[in-house]
Amino acid sequence: MNLGRLYEEFPAPAYRGAQKGALADIREAFEAGNDVVLVRAPTGSGKSLLARAIAGCARTAGESEAGQVTDAYYTTPQVSQLEDVAGDELLADLSVVRGKNNYSCILPGETDTPVDRAPCARERAFDCQVKHRCPYFSDRAIAANARVAAMTLAYFMQTAGSDVFGRRDVLVVDEAHGLGNWAEMYATIDLGPDTVPVWDAAEPPAIDGLDDAARYADTLHTMADRRLAELRAQAELSPEEAAERDRLVELQSELAWFLEDYRGTDSATTWVVDQPDGAGTRVTVKPMAPEKYLQHTVWDRAERFALLSATILDKDAFCANVGLSPDRVALVEVPHTFPVENRPLYDVTRGKMTYDARDETLPAVAEALVRVMQRHPDEKGLVHCHSYAIQERLADRLRELGVGARVRTHDAEDRDPQLATWQRVDDPEVFLSVKMEEALDLEGDLCRWQLLCKAPYPNTRDSRVAARLADDQWGWYYRTALRTVIQACGRVVRAPDDFGATYLADSSLLDLFERARGDMPDWFADQVDRMGRPELPALDPEAATVGIDDTRTGRRSRSGSDGPGARGGRDDGEGGSERRRSRSRRSRGSDSNPVADVWDTE
């Protein structure tokens, strides 16, 4: 790694905020002999530019000696983050490769077929005459020979052990805060009628513990082997049969990994198993802190590592979760340069939003939300509902209150199209979202305010969560929730001159701030310290929808913008607001997929 190039590899024409100082600290951390550098950089600080500079320091072919590895990987668990990188002119020299299912075959009659279902995947010994022009194999070849190959974390993990993407000098992981949790999720084995092609021939018995799970895994592996033999005996497969074959191969790999690791005497992985509905129903086998899995798929893939995130809250806890020794890891803290008054927190709590208290609290939250809508009559808002159950009940209550015309929702199937539409429209709609706390850039007028409905604690009914709490890992529990809150707060303030307000509706969030105070970055603690209760107008649903009505007729209302505390924007920390500043930036909407599943696989 040639750290002497760090500054010249920075891709922007000028530094912004604390970027230059961050590079100096990163260089010092690596030069001190650390193999891994954690970079805790606030949302909007330009982490991708820092990542590119670090990757550019990877050893080149001209600098290497015999046997030394060269070049770098850039990876992120977020599909939308990779798309942002692919579309950024400053990062144009990163060679992006995606999973096969993101590319279409170019053969005549197959142009609507994804590459993983193309004739080369369906016909034995198929000789593709245009493979050199295939968009997937072309991107893969370019990335394999590029100085910096960029891909999702899922694709990167899948290529472990491949000849195409071998060990390199430097690995940079962007949005790395949940690396351990993402590895657990990726290594989870989900066995059900939709994931096991031989399910009808091998429905599970009642699974009472891991020994039962291992015996069932043996049975499934055998049944999958038989079906694979049948499929492989065919000269040509249909697209559906090709998909079945690929899933069976993947299933066998998953089962073999579990069986080998579970029965291995030296494995550090703890496994848990769930079958909540009994015999004949879905079985989920989950690893906890899969150090062995990360060793093979991540830590063996490079010599030096940079892990970037706004929310790596505790170095030692993070290292323990991903199987790193803290003595080879340094933490670089990048200060926040966005004015704290531009990112105010407001306390509009109405009680706890736990399952038992929700019936009483949710109607009050809905009324508070209407009053917040009145405070922002012509500005878009985002509501983090935490779950579809809360989203549905909140939407129903808002319709009953007469503000449904301003509300947009989504479900699991139309999530991305609804988000893209909401970003494009000029109406000041309020978007009731689920799981959009991360990987969402709402700069400028795309969104000026947001509301958090519920403290995002991990689900205690998840066996991994229950196991950790039984082991008294409450610090992990609170850090996980705090990390999600901090990520959510960063959605609406994306630049030094941007501004946006965040409202807290669940009183459990205030309790979370007290319990996790020691894990807060200083810049977020500043936001919490300035938090106050805003002056909300009296409930008037008609006033909450005046912006929608006027916008649809070509007129935009400014009703309510002159009173004290009536608008978002910069805040004095005590609930009032300064004169609303002029809008300095009109962010563009995007037709690209802004938020997608974490895992982008082949």
Side-chain angles (χ1 to χ4, degrees), residues 208-367:
D208 184 19
L210 287 167
D211 286 340
D212 286 349
R215 283 190 289 270
Y216 180 55
D218 279 328
T219 299
L220 274 185
H221 196 284
T222 299
M223 298 295 291
D225 209 41
R226 292 174 184 171
R227 178 56 180 156
L228 272 172
E230 294 174 1
L231 292 170
R232 286 168 172 163
Q234 300 175 212
E236 182 176 348
L237 301 177
S238 68
E240 293 74 23
E241 289 172 328
E244 181 184 1
R245 177 204 59 200
D246 292 347
R247 176 55 195 145
L248 286 168
V249 171
E250 184 180 33
L251 176 64
Q252 283 195 316
S253 176
E254 293 171 351
L255 296 172
W257 159 258
F258 162 59
L259 291 169
E260 177 187 352
D261 191 81
Y262 176 60
R263 290 169 176 162
T265 57
D266 60 345
S267 174
T269 307
T270 299
W271 293 86
V272 294
V273 60
D274 287 330
Q275 191 191 36
D277 299 320
T281 65
R282 182 178 299 274
V283 177
T284 309
V285 186
K286 308 173 183 178
M288 296 176 58
E291 298 177 12
K292 181 179 176 182
Y293 183 79
L294 281 171
Q295 188 66 44
H296 170 61
T297 60
V298 177
W299 307 130
D300 287 345
R301 307 285 299 279
E303 295 187 353
R304 299 285 187 94
F305 305 84
L307 312 179
L308 298 90
S309 171
T311 50
I312 296 176
L313 301 180
D314 182 283
K315 172 192 164 183
D316 290 344
F318 177 84
C319 290
N321 188 233
V322 299
L324 290 173
S325 175
D327 61 5
R328 57 179 281 218
V329 179
L331 175 63
V332 169
E333 182 84 50
V334 181
H336 209 315
T337 58
F338 298 180
V340 67
E341 62 269 20
N342 286 14
R343 40 188 173 94
L345 293 176
Y346 290 119
D347 175 3
V348 295
T349 55
R350 293 300 187 267
K352 292 188 175 182
M353 281 290 286
T354 58
Y355 184 82
D356 292 338
R358 196 171 301 162
D359 287 346
E360 180 178 351
T361 305
L362 191 141
V365 169
E367 292 188 4

Side-chain angles (χ1 to χ4, degrees), residues 97-272:
V97 59
R98 303 168 178 84
K100 284 184 180 179
N101 62 339
N102 293 278
Y103 299 86
S104 296
C105 180
I106 59 174
L107 290 172
E110 300 284 353
T111 53
D112 292 329
T113 305
V115 170
D116 62 338
R117 299 291 174 262
C120 61
R122 305 195 309 259
E123 300 178 26
R124 190 189 318 148
F126 179 81
D127 182 17
C128 182
Q129 299 300 310
V130 294
K131 184 176 180 178
H132 62 289
R133 293 195 287 112
C134 172
Y136 168 69
F137 286 103
S138 175
D139 275 4
R140 191 182 72 165
I142 293 171
N145 292 283
R147 283 190 63 203
V148 185
M151 59 195 73
T152 63
L153 183 63
Y155 185 88
F156 178 73
M157 288 178 167
Q158 284 181 337
T159 61
S162 75
D163 294 331
V164 178
F165 293 109
R167 183 178 173 90
R168 294 197 174 194
D169 186 31
V170 176
L171 169 61
V172 178
V173 183
D174 207 349
E175 302 296 343
H177 48 273
L179 184 59
N181 293 336
W182 285 314
E184 288 179 3
M185 180 173 65
Y186 189 63
T188 291
I189 305 170
D190 183 25
L191 305 174
D194 54 333
T195 62
V196 178
V198 294
W199 179 266
D200 290 342
E203 287 189 358
I207 303 294
D208 184 19
L210 287 167
D211 286 340
D212 286 349
R215 283 190 289 270
Y216 180 55
D218 279 328
T219 299
L220 274 185
H221 196 284
T222 299
M223 298 295 291
D225 209 41
R226 292 174 184 171
R227 178 56 180 156
L228 272 172
E230 294 174 1
L231 292 170
R232 286 168 172 163
Q234 300 175 212
E236 182 176 348
L237 301 177
S238 68
E240 293 74 23
E241 289 172 328
E244 181 184 1
R245 177 204 59 200
D246 292 347
R247 176 55 195 145
L248 286 168
V249 171
E250 184 180 33
L251 176 64
Q252 283 195 316
S253 176
E254 293 171 351
L255 296 172
W257 159 258
F258 162 59
L259 291 169
E260 177 187 352
D261 191 81
Y262 176 60
R263 290 169 176 162
T265 57
D266 60 345
S267 174
T269 307
T270 299
W271 293 86
V272 294

Side-chain angles (χ1 to χ4, degrees), residues 259-574:
L259 291 169
E260 177 187 352
D261 191 81
Y262 176 60
R263 290 169 176 162
T265 57
D266 60 345
S267 174
T269 307
T270 299
W271 293 86
V272 294
V273 60
D274 287 330
Q275 191 191 36
D277 299 320
T281 65
R282 182 178 299 274
V283 177
T284 309
V285 186
K286 308 173 183 178
M288 296 176 58
E291 298 177 12
K292 181 179 176 182
Y293 183 79
L294 281 171
Q295 188 66 44
H296 170 61
T297 60
V298 177
W299 307 130
D300 287 345
R301 307 285 299 279
E303 295 187 353
R304 299 285 187 94
F305 305 84
L307 312 179
L308 298 90
S309 171
T311 50
I312 296 176
L313 301 180
D314 182 283
K315 172 192 164 183
D316 290 344
F318 177 84
C319 290
N321 188 233
V322 299
L324 290 173
S325 175
D327 61 5
R328 57 179 281 218
V329 179
L331 175 63
V332 169
E333 182 84 50
V334 181
H336 209 315
T337 58
F338 298 180
V340 67
E341 62 269 20
N342 286 14
R343 40 188 173 94
L345 293 176
Y346 290 119
D347 175 3
V348 295
T349 55
R350 293 300 187 267
K352 292 188 175 182
M353 281 290 286
T354 58
Y355 184 82
D356 292 338
R358 196 171 301 162
D359 287 346
E360 180 178 351
T361 305
L362 191 141
V365 169
E367 292 188 4
L369 175 56
V370 173
R371 296 170 67 189
V372 172
M373 292 164 65
Q374 293 171 230
R375 196 175 193 237
H376 301 266
D378 60 350
E379 292 175 326
K380 291 183 181 180
L382 178 69
V383 178
H384 297 282
C385 295
H386 184 71
S387 71
Y388 285 106
I390 293 176
Q391 182 208 58
E392 183 177 357
R393 292 185 59 184
L394 186 59
D396 288 343
R397 183 59 182 154
L398 292 174
R399 281 190 288 268
E400 292 171 1
L401 289 169
V403 298
R406 193 177 168 186
V407 173
R408 180 181 294 273
T409 63
H410 69 89
D411 57 30
E413 284 71 36
D414 69 355
R415 159 194 184 99
D416 297 331
Q418 289 289 357
L419 175 59
T421 301
W422 173 71
Q423 289 181 296
R424 285 196 304 267
V425 299
D426 289 330
D427 288 2
E429 291 182 343
V430 178
F431 192 33
L432 306 190
S433 72
V434 178
K435 300 300 180 186
M436 293 190 183
E437 295 90 352
E438 298 187 35
L440 185 57
D441 184 341
L442 298 175
E443 187 175 352
D445 288 342
L446 285 178
C447 187
R448 288 299 184 191
W449 62 274
Q450 58 183 346
L451 181 139
L452 275 63
C453 281
K454 187 181 182 302
Y457 287 113
N459 185 355
T460 55
R461 290 174 292 179
D462 184 293
S463 54
R464 283 176 299 198
V465 176
R468 285 192 170 101
L469 296 186
D471 193 36
D472 206 30
Q473 296 183 35
W474 289 96
W476 166 87
Y477 186 68
Y478 294 122
R479 279 192 300 273
T480 300
L482 177 63
R483 187 176 67 214
T484 303
V485 171
I486 295 174
Q487 288 285 340
C489 289
R491 297 312 99 207
V492 297
V493 183
R494 309 294 301 182
D497 59 349
D498 199 4
F499 59 92
T502 298
Y503 297 86
L504 310 179
D506 180 5
S507 60
S508 295
L509 287 162
L510 307 182
D511 179 64
L512 170 64
F513 290 163
E514 290 184 12
R515 293 179 181 273
R517 177 75 188 203
D519 291 313
M520 284 184 189
D522 291 343
W523 56 266
F524 187 74
D526 290 343
Q527 288 179 251
V528 173
D529 289 343
R530 298 183 77 257
M531 180 172 59
R533 295 190 70 88
E535 299 176 11
L536 296 179
L539 184 67
D540 182 356
E542 185 175 348
T545 58
V546 66
I548 285 284
D549 292 338
D550 285 358
T551 299
R552 287 175 177 167
T553 60
R555 294 177 287 108
R556 180 168 293 278
S557 169
R558 295 295 179 186
S559 173
S561 61
D562 295 327
R567 298 302 302 266
R570 296 187 178 183
D571 179 71
D572 62 9
E574 300 298 328

